[in-house]
């Protein structure tokens, strides 16, 4: 029977063995890493048709960007056309909307007064819509 000694001496012996094993594993991994690095440098991997693939990828990316730009421009144009159509619709609706008779009469009188002030000459002929002539003659 072999005597191992005290508990602290056994723990110390185990620690030494573990430290030696760790050092050995580190050294092996560093050697393997260096070997793989040298192998990679000595025999670089060549991708078949690399230049053709890169050019194809660049072309596809450019086409995708062009399609996205076209879609953005088209959407902006459609938004603009919708806005113009809405503005036109609101403008036409405002033109055909009848105003209250007193407001309409006031507006017509103001336009006629401005015309008399700005136009040269002393005699004028004013043509009015049938509904407006009633407002001024009445």
């Amino acid at each position: 029977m072999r005597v191992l000694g005290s508990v602290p001496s056994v723990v110390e012996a185990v620690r030494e063995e573990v430290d030696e094993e760790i050092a050995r594993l580190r050294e092996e991994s560093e050697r393997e890493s260096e070997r793989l690095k040298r192998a990679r440098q000595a025999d670089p991997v060549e991708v078949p048709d690399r230049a053709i693939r890169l050019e194809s990828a660049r072309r596809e990316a450019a086409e995708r960007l062009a399609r996205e730009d076209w879609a953005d421009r088209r959407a902006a144009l459609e938004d603009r056309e919708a806005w113009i159509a809405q503005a036109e619709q609101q403008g036409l609706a405002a033109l055909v909307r009848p105003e209250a008779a007193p407001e309409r009469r006031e507006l017509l009188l103001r336009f006629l007064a401005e015309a008399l002030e700005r136009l040269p000459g002393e005699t004028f002929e004013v043509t009015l819509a049938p509904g407006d002539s009633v407002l001024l003659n009445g």
Side-chain angles (χ1 to χ4, degrees):
M1 184 164 168
R2 186 170 172 205
V3 177
L4 295 175
S6 68
V7 173
S9 66
V10 170
V11 169
E12 185 61 31
V14 169
R15 272 198 189 130
E16 288 175 5
E17 287 180 18
V18 168
D19 288 342
E20 289 172 7
E21 186 66 17
I22 289 173
R24 185 186 64 75
L25 291 172
R26 279 190 183 144
E27 187 177 309
E28 283 180 16
S29 66
E30 287 175 8
R31 276 196 312 262
E32 183 63 17
S33 177
E34 282 298 316
R35 185 190 69 74
L36 290 173
K37 186 177 177 183
R38 284 191 305 273
R40 204 173 328 124
Q41 289 172 347
D43 188 22
V45 175
E46 288 294 322
V47 176
D49 303 328
R50 180 178 183 267
I52 295 170
R53 289 180 182 191
L54 284 174
E55 182 57 34
S56 175
R58 284 187 189 108
R59 187 175 48 255
E60 287 174 13
E63 289 172 358
R64 186 178 65 246
L65 286 175
R67 282 191 305 272
E68 289 173 1
D69 286 346
W70 175 255
D72 289 345
R73 288 180 184 174
R74 184 174 181 93
L77 184 61
E78 288 172 356
D79 288 346
R80 181 175 161 218
E81 287 175 354
W83 181 84
I84 289 171
Q86 181 183 10
E88 178 185 14
Q89 208 173 32
Q90 289 174 354
L92 290 173
L95 288 175
V96 297
R97 184 174 41 242
E99 295 181 26
E103 293 173 2
R104 182 80 176 168
R105 183 175 194 282
E106 176 69 30
L107 183 63
L108 287 171
L109 289 174
R110 199 171 57 213
F111 285 153
L112 289 172
E114 185 178 338
L116 288 173
E117 289 175 10
R118 295 179 184 244
L119 293 174
E122 296 183 18
T123 326
F124 301 99
E125 182 179 328
V126 178
T127 306
L128 298 171
D132 290 341
S133 63
V134 172
L135 292 173
L136 294 179
N137 290 335

